Amino acid sequence: MTTADNASEAPAEPTGVAAQDWATASADPQYRNAVVDLLGALAYGELAAFERLAEDAKLAPTLADKAELAKMASAEFHHFEQLRDRLTEIGAEPTDAMQPFVAALDGFHRQTAPSDWLEGLVKAYVGDSIASDFYREVAARLDKDSRLLVLGVLDDTGHASFAVERYARRSTPTRAWGPTRPVGTAVDG
């Protein structure tokens, strides 16, 4: 509820491109290319998240954990399909749109490979949180149609609460500060 005390906190009405639909905004070729790049990066990120979660499921200590990770992997693949289909719909070849981001994302995952299941959960939780925050900021500046798609694929798959709960349940006192190696490596580059 907006009051005199919090009026400045109310979200501003979209302006510029953010107030347009795809058909109008994409008339600018530079904007269209930028959105194709964004959707390509997101699509490959979702495909990589699917692969990562499917691999993590193999290492899960319980059948319930394995099933939960498989469910999350399935949600990530569905997000990938939505992005792939949108790229096709707007006349872009999905694999061409994703290709420029493969080396960077795969390199990140190689450099931050977890040494155990808990490190994998923490890495995914931190990495996904940072990426989601970034993409949400970008989405605010997109045309209405692209913004809705991006925000839709950023919907929580339950991974954050799963990771926090499992880490709290399985961590030992010596790991009180968590597995900092993947996080530190990811941040320090």
Side-chain angles (χ1 to χ4, degrees), residues 40-51:
L42 270 170
Y44 189 70
E46 294 293 335
L47 185 58
F50 160 75
E51 291 177 312

Side-chain angles (χ1 to χ4, degrees), residues 149-169:
L149 173 64
V150 169
L151 293 175
V153 301
L154 292 177
D155 274 349
D156 184 21
T157 62
H159 191 251
S161 59
F162 177 82
V164 169
E165 191 270 327
R166 291 311 188 276
Y167 183 78
R169 184 188 319 163

Side-chain angles (χ1 to χ4, degrees), residues 14 18 21 28 34 38 46 51 56 60 73-74 90 94 103 109-111 115 124 128 135-136 161 165 176 181:
D21 64 5
D28 176 354
L38 175 69
E46 294 293 335
E51 291 177 312
D56 288 350
S74 176
I90 64 174
H109 289 299
R110 267 191 310 279
Q111 288 183 321
S115 64
D128 290 352
Y135 285 122
R136 285 182 198 287
S161 59
E165 191 270 327
R181 187 187 55 77

